[in-house]
Amino acid sequence: MTDLPALLDRLRTLQVSSVCDADKTLDAVDPLIHTLVPGARIAGPAVTVVAHDDHLALLVAIREAPAGSVLVVATNGGTKAVSGELFATEAKRRGLAGIVVDGYCRDRGGIAEVGLPVYARGTTPMAGTTVEPGRHGEAVQIGGVTVSPGDLVVGDDDGLVVGTVPQFAAAVPGAEEVERAEAALLAGMAEGRNLPGMTTLDEHLASLADGNRSVLRFTP
């Protein structure tokens, strides 16, 4: 059985690109959904919400979502802000890991000061209504990816990926190895070595030219 808190701790130390290198089957969210808090990292199980141009559903979800979870909000093409500084502040107070909105937020400056990881397509000053309770706890579509409750959402400045707990548990050791290799390459370049010379570039090119399958490898 996976130790989820330990897995999340390991994921938060890794670049999302390294995790993607370790498992290219993970679902990458549309990069137009981007961080509003540069430098923040997000990792946690999804709590899903559908809220179209109305943020009442988010207020309910923030009250009920467990600590450590990521609030994942589908707006179904909404154009109004459904989250902002107040929601980010309350989510942080309650210990949530972050908020992801396939739509728009507002109060960008305030959100940055709060520091909770928040991802959205952008910002708009116009908020929606507070009359629709929305829907909770169902699979939703965000950025072309289906997110089910309990799926892990992991992100940094490069973007977001989504997968199951077993997928990420299997990917983490490979991602850690990727980062060890990259650290060795960076150290080599700091010593004056060239990057191509620390790979199997020539062998790889020759193999491809002969029509063979080949994998470029690092040899730091």
Side-chain angles (χ1 to χ4, degrees), residues 15-102:
Q15 297 180 77
V16 174
S17 58
S18 301
V19 179
C20 290
D21 285 349
D23 184 353
K24 295 186 181 297
T25 70
L26 290 167
D27 287 323
V29 175
D30 182 348
L32 291 179
I33 300 176
H34 59 279
T35 183
L36 301 184
V37 185
R41 293 190 175 189
I42 189 171
V47 170
T48 58
V49 182
V50 178
H52 178 75
D53 286 347
D54 189 295
H55 49 276
L56 183 59
L58 271 76
L59 191 59
V60 173
I62 287 173
R63 182 181 66 182
E64 299 177 354
S69 60
V70 177
L71 200 58
V72 177
V73 186
T75 69
N76 295 342
T79 59
K80 302 293 195 302
V82 297
S83 188
E85 181 181 6
L86 292 177
F87 285 1
T89 300
E90 177 63 7
K92 183 177 182 180
R93 188 191 72 80
R94 296 202 63 252
L96 272 64
I99 300 173
V100 175
V101 180
D102 189 352

Side-chain angles (χ1 to χ4, degrees), residues 180-198 219-220:
R180 283 191 288 269
E182 290 188 353
L185 292 170
L186 289 169
M189 285 186 282
E191 295 169 356
R193 299 173 64 190
N194 69 84
L195 178 58
M198 292 186 286
T219 57

